[in-house]
Amino acid sequence: MSRGSGRRGVDEDAHYRERAQRKKELVDRRIARATIDRGVVVVNTGNGKGKSSSGFGMLARSLGHGFRCGVVQFIKGSFSTGEEAFFRRFPDECDYRVMGEGFTWETQDRTRDIAAAEAAWGVAARMLADPDYDFVLLDELNIALTKDYIALDQVLAALAARPEFQHVVVTGRGAPEGLIEAADTVTEMRVVKHAFKAGIKAQHGIEL
Amino acid sequence: MSRGSGRRGVDEDAHYRERAQRKKELVDRRIARATIDRGVVVVNTGNGKGKSSSGFGMLARSLGHGFRCGVVQFIKGSFSTGEEAFFRRFPDECDYRVMGEGFTWETQDRTRDIAAAEAAWGVAARMLADPDYDFVLLDELNIALTKDYIALDQVLAALAARPEFQHVVVTGRGAPEGLIEAADTVTEMRVVKHAFKAGIKAQHGIEL
């Protein structure tokens, strides 16, 4: 490959260094300006893939930083046993609670769904009040909120009152406006293309 | 809470069960139709958060399924040491390669960046050709493609020729059109709100 060699290469390199320098300065300025050091609330929402898996990636990263972590899965599907199998390997570092067994359309029982969601929220609320947890993942909490199984006010109050350095990640489609307002970082996962819709069987380790 | 009790509650429950049943039937039909059982190519792109962390969440899930996994990080930032620290705990299950040391605007050297990207691609190509790898994460490969450090044709050929059951996840903003066409599932992570821009210091375990 001849890129970077010859007269044109030298000009390109100089131009490249100049642009890179400007970009670096911009980023350095932003980092310097960002001085509020506290826990953040991250919300992953939208109809696309990656909301939960991004939360689990942040969990892995947090464990890598030596954080004490808690996970509450508000929906136990017939799927998604992979994360559970994996993160249950670290019981001292990660308190992994699957609560939403009765809480999916598979059950077809609204009363039971509400009871399951309330029980899950009870566990979540204790984690959010406990300074021993540096990181709390509330997987699919948004579903329980949009279905009105759990009151948004209750959740916002618990987030506001949590320990200062605690990070919280909330996932699920249809994040309510009030939660988006309260969050620090909100990402919408948007479907561009979906293998499942195209007729490829849901895949262990990827889709599941 | 009085939801689900009384006359109105009974009607609500019946209505709920009916809708849940319809939804379940729709999903069951889709699952039955999706009969192609093979590895998928997943692309996470866009300007929002969660592209890489979703890839690392899928890595955790894959490890939970007992898959043999490979990771190539095309950009080693000054950040993101958390995943590396965590996933390096499992050297027998996860081959974790950080290749892109010279390949970020921090270096300000285009020639060196290209060499680093090519070396990273060499490692990635070997994983994609090896049936021992059930899952391969190519973190930030899109950056190397958009900067034209690696030829897209080369990547598409390697993806097309890979073992049938191998899953591949490619992350990074600006996924090229050809890669989107070749992928099975593509998600765009869209910024709704960003703590960093709002002046909150980049956080260990979350932003980092």
Side-chain angles (χ1 to χ4, degrees):
Chain A
M1 211 169 289
S2 67
R3 282 179 289 201
S5 65
R7 176 68 206 155
R8 192 179 159 77
V10 171
D11 284 355
E12 267 175 12
D13 278 1
H15 180 61
Y16 177 77
R17 264 194 301 275
E18 196 182 300
R19 269 193 318 163
Q21 182 60 38
R22 272 203 307 276
K23 196 163 180 181
K24 178 164 160 43
E25 281 167 9
L26 186 71
V27 171
D28 287 348
R29 259 205 312 280
R30 277 215 197 127
I31 290 172
R33 208 174 50 198
T35 50
I36 309 166
D37 192 3
R38 61 166 176 80
V40 291
V41 175
V42 174
V43 173
N44 294 337
T45 192
N47 297 323
K49 303 292 297 178
K51 299 182 288 292
S52 290
S53 54
S54 169
F56 284 104
M58 286 187 269
L59 171 62
R61 198 176 301 173
S62 296
L63 290 169
H65 285 299
F67 289 0
R68 165 103 179 112
C69 300
V71 178
V72 181
Q73 281 198 296
F74 279 78
I75 297 188
K76 181 187 170 63
S78 29
F79 304 153
S80 66
T81 52
E83 300 93 338
E84 191 182 343
F86 183 69
F87 287 109
R88 278 200 192 284
R89 292 190 198 173
F90 320 101
D92 294 339
E93 304 155 79
C94 181
D95 185 4
Y96 197 106
R97 309 289 296 270
V98 180
M99 298 299 298
E101 188 127 24
F103 172 37
T104 142
W105 63 72
E106 295 283 337
T107 68
Q108 306 179 28
D109 183 336
R110 182 174 162 84
T111 309
R112 193 177 138 191
D113 284 4
I114 290 171
E118 285 173 347
W121 173 248
V123 172
R126 279 193 294 279
M127 288 180 181
L128 294 175
D130 186 343
D132 278 355
Y133 290 91
D134 303 302
F135 174 97
V136 179
L137 170 58
L138 304 177
D139 187 47
E140 302 289 9
L141 170 60
N142 289 338
I143 311 284
L145 288 170
T146 51
K147 284 181 183 291
D148 206 27
Y149 293 169
I150 298 170
L152 177 62
D153 286 353
Q154 208 176 2
V155 172
L156 296 182
L159 288 175
R162 78 191 197 283
E164 194 183 349
F165 294 100
Q166 188 184 75
H167 300 300
V168 181
V169 179
V170 179
T171 76
R173 58 180 70 192
E177 198 50 50
L179 180 62
I180 289 174
E181 276 167 33
D184 299 291
T185 295
V186 181
T187 305
E188 181 199 347
M189 275 67 173
R190 206 175 65 79
V191 183
V192 177
K193 200 171 176 183
H194 196 315
F196 193 45
K197 286 183 184 153
I200 293 170
K201 204 188 270 184
Q203 301 292 323
H204 281 297
I206 302 283
E207 300 283 324
L208 302 192
Chain B
M1 215 169 286
S2 68
R3 284 178 287 198
S5 64
R7 177 67 206 156
R8 192 179 158 75
V10 171
D11 285 356
E12 269 176 12
D13 278 2
H15 178 61
Y16 177 77
R17 264 193 301 275
E18 196 183 299
R19 269 191 316 163
Q21 181 60 37
R22 272 203 306 275
K23 196 162 179 182
K24 178 165 161 40
E25 281 166 10
L26 185 72
V27 171
D28 287 349
R29 258 204 312 280
R30 276 212 200 130
I31 290 172
R33 209 173 50 198
T35 51
I36 309 166
D37 192 4
R38 60 167 177 79
V40 291
V41 175
V42 174
V43 173
N44 294 337
T45 192
N47 297 323
K49 304 293 295 179
K51 298 183 289 293
S52 291
S53 55
S54 168
F56 284 104
M58 286 188 269
L59 171 63
R61 199 176 300 172
S62 296
L63 290 169
H65 286 298
F67 290 179
R68 165 104 178 109
C69 300
V71 178
V72 181
Q73 281 199 298
F74 279 78
I75 298 188
K76 182 185 170 65
S78 29
F79 305 154
S80 66
T81 52
E83 301 93 339
E84 191 182 343
F86 183 68
F87 288 108
R88 278 203 193 279
R89 291 190 199 175
F90 320 102
D92 295 339
E93 304 156 80
C94 182
D95 185 4
Y96 197 107
R97 310 287 297 269
V98 180
M99 298 297 299
E101 188 128 24
F103 173 35
T104 141
W105 63 73
E106 295 282 339
T107 67
Q108 305 181 28
D109 183 334
R110 183 176 161 83
T111 309
R112 191 176 140 191
D113 284 3
I114 290 172
E118 285 174 347
W121 173 248
V123 172
R126 280 193 293 278
M127 288 181 181
L128 293 175
D130 186 344
D132 279 354
Y133 291 91
D134 303 303
F135 174 98
V136 178
L137 171 58
L138 305 177
D139 188 46
E140 303 287 9
L141 170 60
N142 289 338
I143 311 285
L145 288 170
T146 53
K147 284 180 182 290
D148 206 27
Y149 292 169
I150 299 171
L152 177 62
D153 286 353
Q154 207 175 4
V155 173
L156 295 182
L159 288 175
R162 79 191 196 282
E164 195 183 348
F165 296 101
Q166 188 184 74
H167 300 300
V168 181
V169 179
V170 179
T171 76
R173 58 179 71 192
E177 198 50 51
L179 180 62
I180 289 174
E181 275 167 32
D184 300 291
T185 295
V186 181
T187 306
E188 181 200 345
M189 275 65 173
R190 206 175 66 78
V191 183
V192 178
K193 201 172 178 182
H194 197 315
F196 192 46
K197 287 185 183 152
I200 293 169
K201 204 189 271 185
Q203 300 293 320
H204 281 297
I206 302 282
E207 300 283 326
L208 302 194

